[in-house]
Amino acid sequence: MATFIVLLGPPGAGKGTQAQIISRSMNLPHISTGDLFRENIKNLTELGKEAQTYMNQGQLVPDSLTISMVKERLSRSDCVNGALLDGFPRTSAQAEAFDRMLLETFKSKVDCVPCIEVEADHLIERLCGRWMCPNGHVFHTKFNPPKESGVCDICGSALYQRDDDKIQTVSRRIAVYEAQTAPLIQYYENQNVLYRIDGSQEIDSVSADILDVLKKFAKK
Ligand code: ADP
Ligand code: ADP
């Protein structure tokens, strides 16, 4: 049976950072809808053009576009044993569509939802110091600096700061999370798959807590 894990949490909680560690350890593909949209923007696709307007404003990309993009990604062969979702679902409509997709395509359901919790003040500091590479590897000037300034430790690409990591957009994104995504905590609590993780700890301690929760889902 395929294993599906959803990393939930506000912008800056550490979803991308943890997803990199956990996908390797669980041997599951890391699917980040933010990274997929950024790839479409870079490749100047129609989807990219449409998504960019919303992303620059710190708003969510419409559900229909997001859901069909995820559906296409899950249809690829690397997802036969499941996937680790980062940044999806982000609305109730996406969560319901995802449940339907898993049932129809994989005869499966969401197995586990680690929810990474961090206070708003810390989120702002994390996002405003975030640097990333085009392949989605994440660093922080203070909390997780690269070995060589401006260069990705993992793939050697140049690091950049995201346009939507400016203070005005960051505050909007946190508000959008509270209004549209936070209700998913209750949604997954009702399915008995939600696990709260203290995201204010150091990166390694957060990973250890998540992996502890995921132990029973690890494939041999
Ligand atoms: P998200 O994907 O949830 O938006 P990221 O993984 O991109 O979050 O992390 C946001 C920023 O915070 C990055 O610069 C990252 O290096 C940093 N970060 C991630 N986890 C921690 C942590 N536990 N403590 C301090 N900084 C962290
Ligand atoms: P962060 O990890 O900092 O929260 P992401 O990289 O996940 O940021 O997302 C960046 C932007 O991409 C979001 O602010 C939103 O505009 C868009 N986006 C990403 N995932 C979704 C989604 N599931 N639904 C709608 N919009 C999304």
Side-chain angles (χ1 to χ4, degrees):
M1 184 98 133
T3 305
F4 290 93
I5 297 159
V6 169
L7 280 185
L8 198 60
K15 301 181 298 298
T17 303
Q18 296 301 330
Q20 270 171 40
I21 300 166
I22 286 152
S23 73
R24 220 176 303 135
S25 150
M26 299 283 293
N27 199 17
L28 286 173
H30 168 200
I31 300 182
S32 154
T33 39
D35 286 349
L36 291 174
F37 284 131
R38 282 184 287 277
E39 206 177 293
N40 274 279
I41 292 172
K42 196 172 82 191
N43 295 334
L44 302 172
T45 67
E46 279 307 310
L47 173 62
K49 280 183 214 154
E50 198 153 352
Q52 189 165 31
T53 344
Y54 296 96
M55 290 171 76
N56 286 347
Q57 293 169 8
Q59 301 290 355
L60 295 184
V61 178
D63 286 334
S64 57
L65 293 176
T66 308
I67 291 165
S68 50
M69 179 177 76
V70 170
K71 207 168 189 170
E72 190 282 321
R73 179 65 189 83
L74 285 177
S75 71
R76 298 198 208 154
S77 58
D78 62 336
C79 296
V80 284
N81 291 322
L84 172 65
L85 282 298
D86 154 20
F88 178 90
R90 257 175 153 105
T91 64
S92 302
Q94 291 179 17
E96 286 161 14
F98 187 47
D99 280 349
R100 282 195 298 274
M101 230 183 274
L102 294 187
L103 192 64
E104 283 164 18
T105 318
F106 297 90
K107 301 274 176 290
S108 196
K109 57 181 187 51
V110 173
D111 292 287
C112 184
V113 182
C115 177
I116 308 176
E117 299 181 317
V118 177
E119 276 176 41
D121 288 354
H122 295 293
L123 296 176
I124 294 171
E125 194 183 6
R126 285 189 186 184
L127 292 169
C128 292
R130 169 160 70 182
W131 285 75
M132 54 192 289
C133 86
N135 296 316
H137 304 131
V138 191
F139 298 88
H140 192 281
T141 43
K142 185 163 143 197
F143 304 128
N144 185 23
K147 290 194 187 84
E148 189 184 337
S149 171
V151 179
C152 177
D153 287 357
I154 300 165
C155 64
S157 313
L159 300 177
Y160 72 99
Q161 270 191 302
R162 278 168 42 181
D163 283 344
D164 62 345
D165 278 347
K166 295 197 189 84
I167 181 74
Q168 305 85 332
T169 323
V170 161
S171 315
R172 169 106 37 86
R173 284 163 55 212
I174 295 171
V176 165
Y177 170 83
E178 287 302 334
Q180 301 198 55
T181 309
L184 297 187
I185 295 174
Q186 187 64 53
Y187 181 85
Y188 288 120
E189 241 165 15
N190 293 347
Q191 295 189 9
N192 277 320
V193 290
L194 190 101
Y195 296 84
R196 292 174 188 272
I197 303 289
D198 176 4
S200 66
Q201 311 171 83
E202 293 202 346
I203 293 175
D204 289 349
S205 309
V206 178
S207 309
D209 283 1
I210 299 177
L211 285 169
D212 202 38
V213 162
L214 292 176
K215 257 192 319 234
K216 61 180 173 180
F217 302 104
K219 290 247 152 41
K220 295 270 159 6

